[in-house]
Amino acid sequence: MTELKKKAEDLSEKVRAAAKTRVNVLNKNFNALEPRTKKWSLMLLGVSMACMCTVITMNGFQSGKSDFLEREDISLPKDIYMDTIKAERLTPVGKMKGEIDGEFESFYMAVDKEGNVFINRNIEYSENAYDKSNGWEQISRQQLEFFEKELDLIPPRRKGLGR
């Protein structure tokens, strides 16, 4: 634990040194400006800060909802994908194809969030294809090992430029 603490202290010291050098460079550049330019830039900074503070304060006193300086709520993934959580979506693994005992075998494989393996021999091609309830049947680890030995796995295609 002390080694980790030492690494953290070294890292924080490096960050402090880098920040100090940046501040020194900015300080030298600002001090190199003409006095009139320094005066105007500081006045402009002060006026803009005062305006922002005034607007924020006035916004707090208004009873209605104002559109100025309004923030958006951060949406969490559970809010965006609520339908997938409710439907217990499966994660696609790929398609297995091959020949077992002279018979052609082909099915899609997927896993759920607990790591259980599911297969579907007759998948529907829609948005709900990987919902757990649409024709998916769970297989055991022994069946999976047998299929891995006998069949070839074709991973799912990625959408994008790499086709």
Side-chain angles (χ1 to χ4, degrees), residues 32 51 71 111 113 124 163:
C51 288
R71 62 170 176 76
V111 294
K113 60 186 173 187
E124 64 179 55
R163 283 191 174 176

mmCIF file of all heavy atoms in Angstrom, residues 32 51 71 111 113 124 163:
data_model
loop_
_atom_site.group_PDB
_atom_site.id
_atom_site.type_symbol
_atom_site.label_atom_id
_atom_site.label_comp_id
_atom_site.label_asym_id
_atom_site.label_seq_id
_atom_site.Cartn_x
_atom_site.Cartn_y
_atom_site.Cartn_z
ATOM 1 N N ALA A 32 4.536 40.968 -19.472
ATOM 2 C CA ALA A 32 5.229 41.558 -20.623
ATOM 3 C C ALA A 32 4.327 42.506 -21.409
ATOM 4 O O ALA A 32 4.817 43.270 -22.243
ATOM 5 C CB ALA A 32 5.746 40.452 -21.544
ATOM 6 N N CYS A 51 -21.123 40.836 -14.670
ATOM 7 C CA CYS A 51 -22.349 40.590 -15.437
ATOM 8 C C CYS A 51 -22.857 39.165 -15.219
ATOM 9 O O CYS A 51 -24.060 38.952 -15.036
ATOM 10 C CB CYS A 51 -22.104 40.841 -16.926
ATOM 11 S SG CYS A 51 -21.927 42.580 -17.335
ATOM 12 N N ARG A 71 -29.817 24.766 -17.667
ATOM 13 C CA ARG A 71 -29.037 23.553 -17.846
ATOM 14 C C ARG A 71 -29.970 22.403 -18.193
ATOM 15 O O ARG A 71 -31.138 22.395 -17.836
ATOM 16 C CB ARG A 71 -28.262 23.203 -16.585
ATOM 17 C CG ARG A 71 -29.173 22.918 -15.418
ATOM 18 C CD ARG A 71 -28.423 22.343 -14.242
ATOM 19 N NE ARG A 71 -29.287 22.173 -13.120
ATOM 20 C CZ ARG A 71 -30.179 21.204 -12.981
ATOM 21 N NH1 ARG A 71 -30.304 20.300 -13.903
ATOM 22 N NH2 ARG A 71 -30.932 21.115 -11.915
ATOM 23 N N VAL A 111 -25.823 -14.187 -25.117
ATOM 24 C CA VAL A 111 -25.695 -14.374 -23.664
ATOM 25 C C VAL A 111 -26.510 -13.304 -22.961
ATOM 26 O O VAL A 111 -26.720 -12.212 -23.484
ATOM 27 C CB VAL A 111 -24.225 -14.314 -23.191
ATOM 28 C CG1 VAL A 111 -23.430 -15.472 -23.726
ATOM 29 C CG2 VAL A 111 -23.576 -13.005 -23.563
ATOM 30 N N LYS A 113 -27.193 -11.125 -19.107
ATOM 31 C CA LYS A 113 -26.300 -10.418 -18.183
ATOM 32 C C LYS A 113 -25.711 -11.317 -17.104
ATOM 33 O O LYS A 113 -24.724 -10.975 -16.486
ATOM 34 C CB LYS A 113 -27.005 -9.212 -17.566
ATOM 35 C CG LYS A 113 -28.247 -9.540 -16.787
ATOM 36 C CD LYS A 113 -28.942 -8.278 -16.339
ATOM 37 C CE LYS A 113 -30.278 -8.618 -15.714
ATOM 38 N NZ LYS A 113 -31.057 -7.435 -15.412
ATOM 39 N N GLU A 124 -35.881 -13.856 -35.713
ATOM 40 C CA GLU A 124 -36.632 -12.868 -36.486
ATOM 41 C C GLU A 124 -35.724 -11.657 -36.678
ATOM 42 O O GLU A 124 -34.956 -11.292 -35.800
ATOM 43 C CB GLU A 124 -37.925 -12.475 -35.768
ATOM 44 C CG GLU A 124 -37.710 -11.774 -34.441
ATOM 45 C CD GLU A 124 -39.001 -11.373 -33.779
ATOM 46 O OE1 GLU A 124 -39.839 -12.270 -33.594
ATOM 47 O OE2 GLU A 124 -39.154 -10.192 -33.437
ATOM 48 N N ARG A 163 -16.077 -2.506 -43.312
ATOM 49 C CA ARG A 163 -16.667 -3.639 -44.024
ATOM 50 C C ARG A 163 -15.811 -4.089 -45.146
ATOM 51 O O ARG A 163 -15.224 -3.474 -45.897
ATOM 52 C CB ARG A 163 -18.044 -3.282 -44.552
ATOM 53 C CG ARG A 163 -19.044 -3.318 -43.439
ATOM 54 C CD ARG A 163 -20.427 -3.219 -44.003
ATOM 55 N NE ARG A 163 -21.345 -3.396 -42.893
ATOM 56 C CZ ARG A 163 -22.622 -3.298 -43.030
ATOM 57 N NH1 ARG A 163 -23.170 -3.032 -44.151
ATOM 58 N NH2 ARG A 163 -23.397 -3.461 -41.984
#
